[in-house]
Amino acid sequence: MRAIILLLAALTCWSRRVLRCGQQVQTDTPDYYFTSACTRSRMTQVASSYIGSLVQCKKFAARRRGLALNFVYRDLLYDDVKNYSGPTCLVFDCPEFDVQLSFDMDTIFDYYTAYARPMPTINQTCLPRIGVYLVHRERKNFTEARDTCESEDGYLADISNAPKTVQLASALAKEHIRKAFVGLSQEEGYFITSQDMPLDCLRYRAWAPGEPKDNRECATLSSKGYWYTKDCSKRMPFICELQPSGPLRPCAHLSWRRRNVCREKFGRSFPNQRRWPKCGDPSIEENTFKLPVFKKRKIQN
C-alpha cells in the first residue's frame, strides 16, 4: 500500500511538471511600445529594412533580438519629406534610458521600446540584444535579493540560455564579483527559473562540476560562467533584470493639476492620421511633445 501511495505521489509530481512545461511557453520576443514622436535613437543599430507596417517592423525587430526600434509612418510625414525613400524600420541593440541623452529630434521616425514603463535608469546597464540589468554589490540572502529586484520593477536575472549566462558572467567579472544570486531556485524538488519555468523543460545547463549539490536550493552565477548552488540564507551579491513592460505613462508622477495637460499633449503625438505635429517639420523641435524628466528610484549601491 505504501509503495502504491509513493508511486501515485511520484506520478502526480511528474504530471504536474509536464503540465507546467506545456503551460509555460518560453519566449524572448518582446513587445515594443510607443514612446516618442518624430524622434530617432542614436543607440547602436543592428538591422534595418523597408517595411510597410508597424506590426511587421516589430516582428522584424524581435527576430533580430532588438530592444528598441524606429518606424516611419509615411502618412504622418511633413510634406517636404514625404518622398523619403530610406529604410522605414530601424532596430537597436539597446533601449533609450530615462535621461534621454541619445534622442535626435526633428526626424521622420517614431520611437518604440520594449522598456517603456519604467524606462531604464542610468544606474542600470544594457547588455546589447540581451536585456537591462543591475549588479548589486551589497550582500543579501536570496529572499531579500528577490524582493529588492521586484521593488525595482524586475526580477532576479534569468540565466536559462547561453547568451545571458555568458554576458552576465562577463558583467560580474568587470565588477570583480566572484559569485552572485540569480533567478534559479528549487521548488518542490525541481529548479525553477525567475520566469517560473522548470529547468527540466529547458535544454541549456551551465552547472559547475559536481553541481547541483544536495540541500542547497538557490543558484548563483560565477564570473567564469558556471552555475553553483548555495544555501538560500547565505548573503551574496545579486543581479536584477529589468522587466520589459509598457505602455509608457509619462504623466503619471505629475500633480493632478498638470497631469491632464500632459496627457493631452502626449496624446496628440500618438500615431494616427490626424496627429500633430507631422514628422519632418523644421520647427518640430519647438512644438513636439518632450518626455517629462522622471523621478529617479533610489537604488542602493
Side-chain angles (χ1 to χ4, degrees), residues 66-77:
L67 301 183
L69 63 88
N70 273 136
F71 180 71
V72 174
Y73 279 93
R74 294 188 182 278
D75 293 338
L76 301 180
L77 296 182

Side-chain angles (χ1 to χ4, degrees), residues 216-229:
R216 294 183 181 182
E217 298 183 341
C218 293
T220 63
L221 174 66
S222 77
S223 59
K224 294 185 178 180
Y226 291 109
W227 303 349
Y228 291 85
T229 48

Side-chain angles (χ1 to χ4, degrees), residues 163-190:
K164 289 183 176 181
T165 291
V166 172
Q167 292 291 333
L168 288 173
S170 178
L172 288 179
K174 290 179 181 178
E175 295 288 337
H176 304 289
I177 295 175
R178 292 181 59 192
K179 293 179 184 177
F181 276 132
V182 288
L184 186 63
S185 60
Q186 283 200 51
E187 179 182 316
E188 299 178 353
Y190 297 98

Side-chain angles (χ1 to χ4, degrees), residues 47 72 125 140 207 235 237 244 264 285 299:
V72 174
T125 300
K140 294 187 177 183
W207 292 116
R235 305 185 73 81
E264 180 182 357
E285 189 167 359
I299 298 177

Side-chain angles (χ1 to χ4, degrees), residues 34-39 54 70-78 81-82 107-112 264-281 284 287-289:
F34 174 78
T35 305
S36 184
C38 309
T39 303
L54 176 62
N70 273 136
F71 180 71
V72 174
Y73 279 93
R74 294 188 182 278
D75 293 338
L76 301 180
L77 296 182
Y78 197 70
V81 292
K82 278 189 178 294
T107 71
I108 64 173
F109 292 94
D110 286 341
Y111 176 74
Y112 293 75
E264 180 182 357
K265 193 172 183 181
F266 181 63
R268 290 203 304 267
S269 69
F270 269 84
N272 61 69
Q273 295 295 323
R274 303 177 63 183
R275 182 181 70 183
W276 182 91
K278 302 286 188 179
C279 290
D281 186 343
I284 204 170
N287 295 328
T288 193
F289 178 86

Side-chain angles (χ1 to χ4, degrees), residues 20-90:
R20 291 186 67 173
C21 289
Q23 288 176 336
Q24 298 288 339
V25 179
Q26 176 112 4
T27 175
D28 292 327
T29 302
D31 199 357
Y32 302 91
Y33 304 94
F34 174 78
T35 305
S36 184
C38 309
T39 303
R40 181 167 179 170
S41 175
R42 284 189 278 116
M43 292 295 182
T44 302
Q45 185 177 314
V46 295
S48 64
S49 185
Y50 298 81
I51 294 176
S53 74
L54 176 62
V55 171
Q56 292 302 317
C57 180
K58 288 182 176 182
K59 291 180 179 179
F60 175 73
R63 289 196 300 270
R64 299 303 189 275
R65 295 190 302 139
L67 301 183
L69 63 88
N70 273 136
F71 180 71
V72 174
Y73 279 93
R74 294 188 182 278
D75 293 338
L76 301 180
L77 296 182
Y78 197 70
D79 290 342
D80 289 350
V81 292
K82 278 189 178 294
N83 61 349
Y84 172 76
S85 59
T88 56
C89 180
L90 310 179

Side-chain angles (χ1 to χ4, degrees), residues 90-138:
L90 310 179
V91 181
F92 303 100
D93 64 348
C94 283
E96 292 291 335
F97 285 64
D98 61 353
V99 289
Q100 306 165 35
L101 297 179
S102 298
F103 276 151
D104 281 335
M105 306 302 293
D106 192 17
T107 71
I108 64 173
F109 292 94
D110 286 341
Y111 176 74
Y112 293 75
T113 175
Y115 295 87
R117 191 178 80 238
M119 295 181 74
T121 70
I122 57 174
N123 304 78
Q124 295 164 320
T125 300
C126 173
L127 299 181
R129 303 169 78 177
I130 300 294
V132 177
Y133 299 86
L134 179 62
V135 178
H136 285 263
R137 301 187 65 88
E138 71 270 24

Side-chain angles (χ1 to χ4, degrees), residues 151-167:
S151 72
E152 296 172 6
D153 302 298
Y155 43 81
L156 281 169
D158 178 27
I159 54 169
S160 61
N161 61 47
K164 289 183 176 181
T165 291
V166 172
Q167 292 291 333

